[in-house]
Coordinates of all heavy atoms in Angstrom, one line a residue:
M1 N 5.2 9.1 14.6 CA 5.3 9.1 13.2 C 4.1 8.4 12.5 O 3.3 7.9 13.2 CB 6.6 8.5 12.7 CG 7.8 9.4 13.0 SD 7.6 11.0 12.2 CE 9.2 11.6 12.1
A2 N 4.1 8.4 11.2 CA 3.0 7.9 10.4 C 3.0 6.3 10.3 O 4.1 5.7 10.3 CB 2.9 8.5 9.0
N3 N 1.8 5.7 10.2 CA 1.7 4.3 9.9 C 1.4 4.2 8.4 O 0.3 4.7 7.9 CB 0.6 3.7 10.7 CG 0.5 2.2 10.6 OD1 1.4 1.6 10.0 ND2 -0.6 1.7 11.1
I4 N 2.3 3.7 7.6 CA 2.2 3.7 6.1 C 2.1 2.3 5.5 O 2.8 1.4 5.9 CB 3.5 4.4 5.6 CG1 3.6 5.8 6.1 CG2 3.5 4.4 4.0 CD1 4.9 6.5 5.8
L5 N 1.2 2.2 4.6 CA 1.0 0.9 3.8 C 1.7 1.1 2.5 O 1.5 2.0 1.8 CB -0.5 0.6 3.6 CG -0.8 -0.6 2.8 CD1 -0.3 -1.9 3.4 CD2 -2.3 -0.7 2.5
I6 N 2.6 0.2 2.2 CA 3.3 0.2 0.9 C 2.8 -1.0 0.1 O 3.0 -2.1 0.4 CB 4.9 0.0 1.1 CG1 5.4 1.1 2.1 CG2 5.6 0.1 -0.2 CD1 6.8 0.8 2.6
A7 N 2.2 -0.6 -1.1 CA 1.6 -1.6 -2.0 C 2.4 -1.5 -3.3 O 2.2 -0.7 -4.1 CB 0.1 -1.3 -2.3
E8 N 3.4 -2.4 -3.4 CA 4.3 -2.5 -4.5 C 4.7 -3.9 -4.7 O 5.1 -4.6 -3.8 CB 5.5 -1.6 -4.2 CG 6.7 -1.8 -5.1 CD 6.5 -1.5 -6.6 OE1 6.1 -0.4 -6.9 OE2 6.6 -2.4 -7.4
D9 N 4.5 -4.4 -5.9 CA 4.8 -5.9 -6.2 C 6.3 -6.2 -6.4 O 6.7 -7.3 -6.2 CB 4.0 -6.4 -7.4 CG 4.2 -5.7 -8.7 OD1 4.4 -4.4 -8.6 OD2 4.2 -6.3 -9.7
E10 N 7.1 -5.2 -6.7 CA 8.5 -5.5 -6.9 C 9.2 -5.4 -5.5 O 9.3 -4.4 -4.9 CB 9.2 -4.4 -7.8 CG 8.7 -4.5 -9.2 CD 9.2 -5.7 -10.0 OE1 10.3 -6.2 -9.6 OE2 8.6 -6.1 -10.9
R11 N 9.6 -6.6 -5.0 CA 10.1 -6.7 -3.6 C 11.2 -5.7 -3.4 O 11.3 -5.1 -2.3 CB 10.5 -8.1 -3.3 CG 10.9 -8.3 -1.9 CD 11.0 -9.7 -1.4 NE 9.7 -10.4 -1.4 CZ 8.9 -10.4 -0.3 NH1 9.2 -9.7 0.7 NH2 7.8 -11.0 -0.3
A12 N 12.2 -5.6 -4.3 CA 13.3 -4.7 -4.0 C 12.9 -3.3 -3.9 O 13.4 -2.6 -3.0 CB 14.3 -4.8 -5.2
I13 N 11.9 -2.8 -4.7 CA 11.4 -1.5 -4.6 C 10.7 -1.3 -3.3 O 10.8 -0.3 -2.6 CB 10.6 -1.1 -5.8 CG1 11.4 -1.1 -7.1 CG2 9.9 0.3 -5.6 CD1 10.6 -1.0 -8.3
N14 N 9.8 -2.3 -3.0 CA 9.0 -2.2 -1.7 C 10.0 -2.1 -0.5 O 9.8 -1.3 0.4 CB 8.1 -3.5 -1.6 CG 7.0 -3.3 -0.7 OD1 7.2 -2.8 0.4 ND2 5.8 -3.8 -1.0
D15 N 11.0 -3.0 -0.5 CA 11.9 -3.0 0.6 C 12.7 -1.7 0.7 O 13.0 -1.2 1.8 CB 12.9 -4.1 0.4 CG 12.3 -5.5 0.7 OD1 11.2 -5.6 1.3 OD2 12.9 -6.5 0.3
L16 N 13.1 -1.1 -0.4 CA 13.8 0.2 -0.4 C 12.9 1.3 0.1 O 13.4 2.1 0.9 CB 14.3 0.5 -1.8 CG 15.1 1.8 -2.0 CD1 16.4 1.6 -1.2 CD2 15.5 2.0 -3.4
I17 N 11.7 1.3 -0.3 CA 10.7 2.4 0.3 C 10.6 2.2 1.8 O 10.7 3.1 2.5 CB 9.4 2.3 -0.4 CG1 9.5 2.6 -1.9 CG2 8.3 3.2 0.3 CD1 8.3 2.3 -2.7
K18 N 10.4 0.9 2.2 CA 10.3 0.7 3.6 C 11.5 1.1 4.4 O 11.4 1.7 5.5 CB 10.0 -0.8 3.9 CG 9.8 -1.1 5.4 CD 9.6 -2.6 5.6 CE 9.4 -2.9 7.1 NZ 9.2 -4.3 7.4
L19 N 12.7 0.7 3.9 CA 13.9 1.0 4.6 C 14.1 2.5 4.8 O 14.3 3.0 5.9 CB 15.1 0.5 3.7 CG 16.5 1.0 4.2 CD1 16.8 0.3 5.6 CD2 17.6 0.6 3.2
N20 N 13.8 3.3 3.7 CA 14.0 4.8 3.8 C 13.0 5.4 4.8 O 13.3 6.3 5.5 CB 13.9 5.4 2.4 CG 15.2 5.2 1.7 OD1 16.2 5.9 2.0 ND2 15.3 4.3 0.8
L21 N 11.7 4.9 4.7 CA 10.7 5.5 5.6 C 10.9 5.1 7.0 O 10.7 5.9 8.0 CB 9.3 5.1 5.1 CG 8.8 5.7 3.8 CD1 7.5 5.0 3.4 CD2 8.6 7.2 4.0
S22 N 11.4 3.9 7.2 CA 11.7 3.4 8.6 C 12.8 4.1 9.2 O 12.9 4.4 10.4 CB 12.0 1.9 8.6 OG 10.9 1.2 8.2
L23 N 13.8 4.5 8.4 CA 15.0 5.3 8.9 C 14.6 6.6 9.5 O 15.3 7.1 10.4 CB 16.0 5.5 7.8 CG 16.8 4.3 7.4 CD1 17.7 4.6 6.2 CD2 17.7 3.8 8.5
V24 N 13.5 7.2 9.1 CA 13.1 8.5 9.6 C 11.9 8.3 10.6 O 11.3 9.3 11.0 CB 12.7 9.5 8.5 CG1 13.9 9.9 7.7 CG2 11.6 9.0 7.6
G25 N 11.7 7.0 11.0 CA 10.8 6.8 12.1 C 9.4 6.4 11.8 O 8.6 6.2 12.7
H26 N 9.0 6.2 10.5 CA 7.7 5.7 10.2 C 7.5 4.2 10.4 O 8.5 3.4 10.2 CB 7.4 6.1 8.7 CG 7.4 7.5 8.5 ND1 6.4 8.4 9.1 CD2 8.2 8.3 7.8 CE1 6.7 9.6 8.7 NE2 7.7 9.6 7.9
K27 N 6.3 3.8 10.7 CA 6.0 2.4 10.8 C 5.4 2.0 9.5 O 4.5 2.6 8.9 CB 5.0 2.1 11.9 CG 4.6 0.7 12.1 CD 3.5 0.5 13.2 CE 3.0 -0.9 13.2 NZ 1.8 -1.0 14.0
C28 N 5.9 0.9 8.9 CA 5.5 0.5 7.5 C 5.0 -0.9 7.5 O 5.5 -1.8 8.2 CB 6.7 0.6 6.5 SG 7.4 2.3 6.4
E29 N 4.0 -1.1 6.7 CA 3.5 -2.5 6.4 C 3.6 -2.7 4.9 O 3.3 -1.8 4.1 CB 2.0 -2.6 6.8 CG 1.4 -3.9 6.5 CD 0.0 -4.1 6.9 OE1 -0.6 -3.2 7.6 OE2 -0.7 -5.1 6.6
Q30 N 4.0 -3.8 4.5 CA 4.2 -4.1 3.1 C 3.2 -5.1 2.6 O 2.9 -6.1 3.3 CB 5.6 -4.7 2.9 CG 6.8 -3.8 3.2 CD 8.1 -4.5 3.1 OE1 8.4 -5.3 4.0 NE2 8.8 -4.3 2.1
V31 N 2.6 -4.9 1.4 CA 1.8 -5.8 0.7 C 2.3 -5.9 -0.8 O 2.9 -4.9 -1.3 CB 0.3 -5.5 0.7 CG1 -0.2 -5.7 2.1 CG2 0.0 -4.1 0.2
F32 N 2.0 -7.0 -1.5 CA 2.6 -7.2 -2.8 C 1.6 -7.4 -3.9 O 2.0 -7.7 -5.0 CB 3.7 -8.3 -2.7 CG 4.7 -8.0 -1.7 CD1 4.6 -8.4 -0.4 CD2 5.9 -7.3 -2.1 CE1 5.6 -8.1 0.6 CE2 6.9 -7.0 -1.2 CZ 6.7 -7.4 0.2
D33 N 0.3 -7.4 -3.6 CA -0.7 -7.5 -4.7 C -1.9 -6.6 -4.3 O -2.1 -6.2 -3.2 CB -1.1 -9.0 -4.8 CG -1.8 -9.6 -3.6 OD1 -2.9 -9.1 -3.3 OD2 -1.2 -10.4 -2.9
G34 N -2.7 -6.4 -5.4 CA -3.8 -5.5 -5.2 C -4.9 -6.0 -4.3 O -5.5 -5.1 -3.5
A35 N -5.2 -7.3 -4.2 CA -6.2 -7.7 -3.3 C -5.8 -7.5 -1.8 O -6.6 -7.0 -1.0 CB -6.5 -9.2 -3.5
A36 N -4.6 -7.7 -1.5 CA -4.1 -7.5 -0.1 C -4.0 -6.0 0.2 O -4.4 -5.5 1.3 CB -2.7 -8.1 0.1
A37 N -3.7 -5.2 -0.9 CA -3.6 -3.7 -0.7 C -5.0 -3.2 -0.4 O -5.2 -2.4 0.5 CB -3.1 -3.1 -1.9
L38 N -6.0 -3.6 -1.1 CA -7.4 -3.2 -0.9 C -7.9 -3.5 0.5 O -8.4 -2.7 1.3 CB -8.3 -3.7 -1.9 CG -9.8 -3.3 -1.8 CD1 -10.0 -1.8 -1.8 CD2 -10.7 -4.0 -2.8
E39 N -7.6 -4.8 0.9 CA -8.1 -5.3 2.2 C -7.4 -4.4 3.4 O -8.1 -4.0 4.3 CB -7.7 -6.7 2.4 CG -8.1 -7.3 3.8 CD -7.6 -8.7 3.9 OE1 -7.4 -9.4 2.9 OE2 -7.5 -9.1 5.1
R40 N -6.1 -4.3 3.3 CA -5.4 -3.5 4.3 C -5.7 -2.0 4.3 O -5.8 -1.4 5.4 CB -3.9 -3.8 4.2 CG -3.5 -5.2 4.4 CD -3.9 -5.8 5.7 NE -3.4 -5.0 6.8 CZ -4.0 -4.6 7.9 NH1 -5.3 -5.0 8.1 NH2 -3.5 -3.9 8.8
A41 N -5.8 -1.5 3.1 CA -6.2 0.0 3.0 C -7.5 0.3 3.7 O -7.7 1.3 4.3 CB -6.1 0.4 1.6
L42 N -8.5 -0.6 3.5 CA -9.8 -0.4 4.0 C -9.9 -0.7 5.5 O -10.9 -0.4 6.1 CB -10.8 -1.3 3.3 CG -11.1 -0.9 1.8 CD1 -12.0 -1.9 1.2 CD2 -11.6 0.5 1.7
S43 N -8.8 -1.2 6.1 CA -8.8 -1.4 7.5 C -8.9 -0.1 8.4 O -9.3 -0.2 9.5 CB -7.6 -2.3 7.9 OG -6.4 -1.4 7.9
G44 N -8.4 1.0 7.7 CA -8.4 2.2 8.4 C -7.3 2.4 9.4 O -7.2 3.4 10.2
E45 N -6.3 1.5 9.4 CA -5.2 1.5 10.3 C -4.0 2.4 9.8 O -3.1 2.6 10.6 CB -4.6 0.1 10.5 CG -5.6 -0.8 11.1 CD -5.1 -2.2 11.2 OE1 -3.9 -2.5 11.1 OE2 -6.0 -3.2 11.4
H46 N -4.1 2.9 8.6 CA -2.9 3.6 8.0 C -3.2 5.1 7.8 O -4.3 5.5 7.5 CB -2.5 2.9 6.7 CG -2.2 1.5 6.8 ND1 -3.2 0.5 6.6 CD2 -1.1 0.8 7.2 CE1 -2.6 -0.7 6.9 NE2 -1.4 -0.5 7.2
D47 N -2.1 5.9 8.0 CA -2.2 7.3 7.7 C -2.0 7.6 6.2 O -2.4 8.6 5.8 CB -1.2 8.0 8.6 CG -1.3 7.7 10.0 OD1 -2.4 8.0 10.6 OD2 -0.4 7.3 10.7
L48 N -1.3 6.7 5.6 CA -0.9 7.0 4.2 C -0.8 5.6 3.5 O -0.3 4.7 4.1 CB 0.5 7.7 4.1 CG 1.1 7.9 2.7 CD1 0.3 8.9 1.9 CD2 2.5 8.4 2.9
V49 N -1.2 5.6 2.2 CA -1.0 4.4 1.4 C -0.2 4.8 0.2 O -0.5 5.7 -0.6 CB -2.3 3.8 0.9 CG1 -2.1 2.6 0.0 CG2 -3.2 3.4 2.1
I50 N 1.0 4.1 0.0 CA 1.8 4.3 -1.2 C 1.4 3.2 -2.2 O 1.6 2.0 -1.9 CB 3.3 4.3 -0.9 CG1 3.6 5.4 0.0 CG2 4.1 4.3 -2.2 CD1 5.1 5.4 0.5
L51 N 0.7 3.5 -3.2 CA 0.0 2.5 -4.1 C 0.6 2.5 -5.5 O 0.5 3.5 -6.2 CB -1.5 2.9 -4.1 CG -2.4 2.0 -4.9 CD1 -2.4 0.6 -4.4 CD2 -3.8 2.6 -4.8
D52 N 1.1 1.4 -5.9 CA 1.6 1.2 -7.2 C 0.4 1.0 -8.2 O -0.6 0.5 -7.8 CB 2.5 -0.1 -7.3 CG 3.1 -0.3 -8.6 OD1 3.2 0.6 -9.5 OD2 3.6 -1.5 -8.8
V53 N 0.5 1.5 -9.4 CA -0.6 1.4 -10.3 C -0.7 0.0 -10.9 O -1.8 -0.5 -11.1 CB -0.4 2.5 -11.4 CG1 -1.5 2.3 -12.5 CG2 -0.5 3.9 -10.9
M54 N 0.4 -0.6 -11.2 CA 0.4 -1.9 -11.9 C 0.7 -3.0 -10.8 O 1.9 -3.4 -10.6 CB 1.4 -1.9 -13.0 CG 1.0 -1.0 -14.1 SD 2.3 -0.9 -15.4 CE 2.2 -2.6 -16.0
L55 N -0.3 -3.5 -10.2 CA -0.2 -4.6 -9.2 C -0.9 -5.8 -9.7 O -1.9 -5.7 -10.5 CB -0.9 -4.2 -7.9 CG -0.2 -3.1 -7.1 CD1 -1.1 -2.6 -6.0 CD2 1.1 -3.6 -6.5
P56 N -0.5 -7.0 -9.3 CA -1.2 -8.2 -9.7 C -2.6 -8.2 -9.0 O -2.7 -7.6 -7.9 CB -0.4 -9.4 -9.1 CG 0.9 -8.8 -8.6 CD 0.7 -7.3 -8.6
E57 N -3.5 -8.9 -9.6 CA -4.9 -9.1 -9.1 C -5.8 -7.9 -9.2 O -6.8 -7.9 -9.9 CB -4.9 -9.6 -7.6 CG -4.3 -11.0 -7.5 CD -4.4 -11.5 -6.1 OE1 -5.5 -11.4 -5.5 OE2 -3.5 -12.2 -5.6
L58 N -5.5 -6.7 -8.7 CA -6.2 -5.5 -8.8 C -5.2 -4.4 -9.1 O -4.2 -4.3 -8.4 CB -7.0 -5.1 -7.6 CG -8.2 -6.0 -7.2 CD1 -8.7 -5.6 -5.8 CD2 -9.3 -5.9 -8.2
S59 N -5.5 -3.5 -10.0 CA -4.6 -2.4 -10.3 C -4.8 -1.3 -9.2 O -5.8 -1.3 -8.5 CB -4.8 -1.8 -11.7 OG -6.0 -1.1 -11.7
G60 N -3.8 -0.4 -9.2 CA -4.0 0.7 -8.3 C -5.2 1.6 -8.6 O -5.9 2.1 -7.7
F61 N -5.6 1.7 -9.9 CA -6.8 2.4 -10.3 C -8.0 1.7 -9.8 O -9.0 2.3 -9.3 CB -6.8 2.5 -11.8 CG -5.7 3.4 -12.4 CD1 -4.8 2.8 -13.3 CD2 -5.5 4.7 -12.0 CE1 -3.8 3.6 -13.8 CE2 -4.5 5.5 -12.5 CZ -3.7 5.0 -13.5
E62 N -8.1 0.4 -9.9 CA -9.2 -0.4 -9.4 C -9.4 -0.3 -7.9 O -10.5 -0.2 -7.4 CB -9.1 -1.9 -9.8 CG -9.2 -2.1 -11.3 CD -8.8 -3.5 -11.7 OE1 -7.8 -4.0 -11.2 OE2 -9.6 -4.1 -12.5
I63 N -8.2 -0.3 -7.2 CA -8.3 -0.2 -5.7 C -8.8 1.2 -5.3 O -9.6 1.3 -4.4 CB -6.8 -0.4 -5.2 CG1 -6.4 -1.9 -5.4 CG2 -6.8 -0.1 -3.7 CD1 -4.9 -2.1 -5.2
T64 N -8.3 2.2 -6.0 CA -8.8 3.6 -5.7 C -10.3 3.7 -6.0 O -11.0 4.2 -5.1 CB -8.0 4.6 -6.6 OG1 -6.6 4.5 -6.3 CG2 -8.5 6.0 -6.2
A65 N -10.8 3.2 -7.1 CA -12.2 3.2 -7.4 C -13.0 2.5 -6.4 O -14.1 2.9 -6.0 CB -12.4 2.7 -8.8
E66 N -12.6 1.3 -6.0 CA -13.3 0.5 -5.1 C -13.4 1.2 -3.7 O -14.4 1.2 -3.0 CB -12.7 -0.9 -4.9 CG -13.4 -1.8 -4.0 CD -14.7 -2.3 -4.6 OE1 -15.0 -2.3 -5.8 OE2 -15.6 -2.6 -3.7
G67 N -12.3 1.8 -3.3 CA -12.2 2.5 -2.0 C -13.2 3.7 -2.1 O -13.9 3.9 -1.1
E68 N -13.2 4.4 -3.2 CA -14.2 5.5 -3.3 C -15.6 5.1 -3.2 O -16.4 5.7 -2.6 CB -13.9 6.3 -4.6 CG -12.7 7.1 -4.6 CD -12.4 7.7 -6.0 OE1 -13.1 7.4 -6.9 OE2 -11.5 8.6 -6.0
N69 N -15.9 3.9 -3.9 CA -17.3 3.4 -3.8 C -17.7 3.0 -2.4 O -18.8 3.2 -2.0 CB -17.4 2.2 -4.8 CG -17.4 2.6 -6.2 OD1 -17.7 3.7 -6.6 ND2 -17.0 1.7 -7.1
I70 N -16.8 2.4 -1.7 CA -17.1 1.9 -0.3 C -17.3 3.1 0.6 O -18.1 3.1 1.5 CB -16.0 1.0 0.2 CG1 -16.1 -0.3 -0.6 CG2 -16.1 0.8 1.7 CD1 -14.9 -1.3 -0.3
L71 N -16.5 4.2 0.4 CA -16.5 5.3 1.3 C -17.7 6.3 1.1 O -18.0 7.1 1.9 CB -15.2 6.1 1.2 CG -14.0 5.3 1.8 CD1 -12.7 6.1 1.5 CD2 -14.1 5.0 3.2
R72 N -18.4 6.1 0.0 CA -19.6 6.9 -0.4 C -20.8 6.6 0.5 O -21.1 5.7 0.9 CB -19.9 6.8 -1.8 CG -18.9 7.6 -2.7 CD -19.3 7.6 -4.1 NE -18.2 8.1 -4.8 CZ -18.2 8.2 -6.1 NH1 -19.2 7.8 -6.8 NH2 -17.1 8.7 -6.7

């Protein structure tokens, strides 16, 4: 199954997403702020990133833009 990064600052929502994805066999990693999300997303270890737009430190939009700049 897929290796999924969940970037969501609301712990209850993050946990619920992880629970449901884990139940169907996916491996999930949780992060709770934008800086951690960017670092882990750029590691290349994940098949999918579920990215909240409103995160502390860096927004989902900033993370996406930074990732695009690095990948160019």
Side-chain angles (χ1 to χ4, degrees):
M1 289 299 205
N3 187 12
I4 301 172
L5 176 65
I6 305 166
E8 165 60 60
D9 60 320
E10 293 289 334
R11 184 166 292 274
I13 295 171
N14 199 318
D15 288 343
L16 185 61
I17 294 168
K18 180 181 179 181
L19 173 67
N20 282 283
L21 291 171
S22 297
L23 285 173
V24 294
H26 298 293
K27 181 181 172 194
C28 299
E29 179 180 352
Q30 297 172 284
V31 293
F32 301 92
D33 65 69
L38 179 60
E39 178 184 338
R40 295 305 301 138
L42 292 176
S43 73
E45 299 175 16
H46 303 93
D47 302 306
L48 174 71
V49 177
I50 298 175
L51 181 60
D52 186 13
V53 173
M54 296 177 61
L55 290 168
E57 297 187 38
L58 293 170
S59 74
F61 294 120
E62 292 169 315
I63 294 165
T64 302
E66 185 66 27
E68 288 175 351
N69 289 336
I70 290 171
L71 296 173
R72 286 185 191 177

